[in-house]
Amino acid sequence: MTDPQWLDDVEMRAWLGYVRTRDLIAAAIGRDAGRAANLSYVEYSVLVYLADAPGQRLTFADLAGALEWSQSRLSHQITRMQKRGLVVRETMPHDQRRTVARLTSAGGQLLTTAAPAHVRSVRRHMIDVLDRAQLAALAEIYDVLIDHHRSAARELGGRVPTPEVTPAVDLA
């Protein structure tokens, strides 16, 4: 067994910076969303993808891929959101074995109410904290990391999570 190549100071700062800011920003946006619309960050993400999909519906496989979640996690989330009347489950007419999630009118109305507060929160907790050069650098860094992980998944023969819809409202 070989010793791991331990992280140096810069590598450790980069790693811990990512982990800490991801958690801090997500928590802050989640708190804001809860206050503004009684909607969690996770629920908001699901609603955005469904709102932008053709017919405001996606198969569980496509929605799980877009969110980069397991289908099991998505199923539990959809169950909770269905109880709130935000989404419904439907079977596909031409393939009864496949299930789709569809946005309800109540879910669409809540998303419309929540979106302005969500964008203000994203700006307050991340976008407006950085200057344009920092934002551009961060965007490029995330593009490289996303491309790397999607390529690795393809090489392993796994499903490559690529959203079939591009949300009109940023999920940041």
Side-chain angles (χ1 to χ4, degrees), residues 60-110:
F60 272 46
D62 288 340
L63 184 54
L67 292 163
E68 301 193 28
W69 293 356
S70 70
Q71 286 195 44
S72 174
R73 177 182 180 190
L74 178 63
S75 180
H76 290 293
Q77 184 61 49
I78 293 297
T79 297
R80 288 188 292 274
M81 293 175 73
Q82 196 169 6
K83 288 177 184 173
R84 291 186 58 194
L86 304 176
V87 299
V88 293
R89 290 174 198 255
E90 299 175 341
T91 55
M92 294 184 73
H94 62 281
D95 186 352
Q96 297 292 313
R97 296 168 299 165
R98 295 180 67 193
T99 304
V100 298
R102 182 179 53 79
L103 184 67
T104 64
S105 60
Q109 289 171 354
L110 186 57

Side-chain angles (χ1 to χ4, degrees), residues 49 62-63 65-68 150 159-167 171:
Y49 277 109
D62 288 340
L63 184 54
L67 292 163
E68 301 193 28
R150 289 188 175 147
R159 176 170 163 72
V160 179
T162 53
E164 292 194 8
V165 292
T166 302
L171 297 176

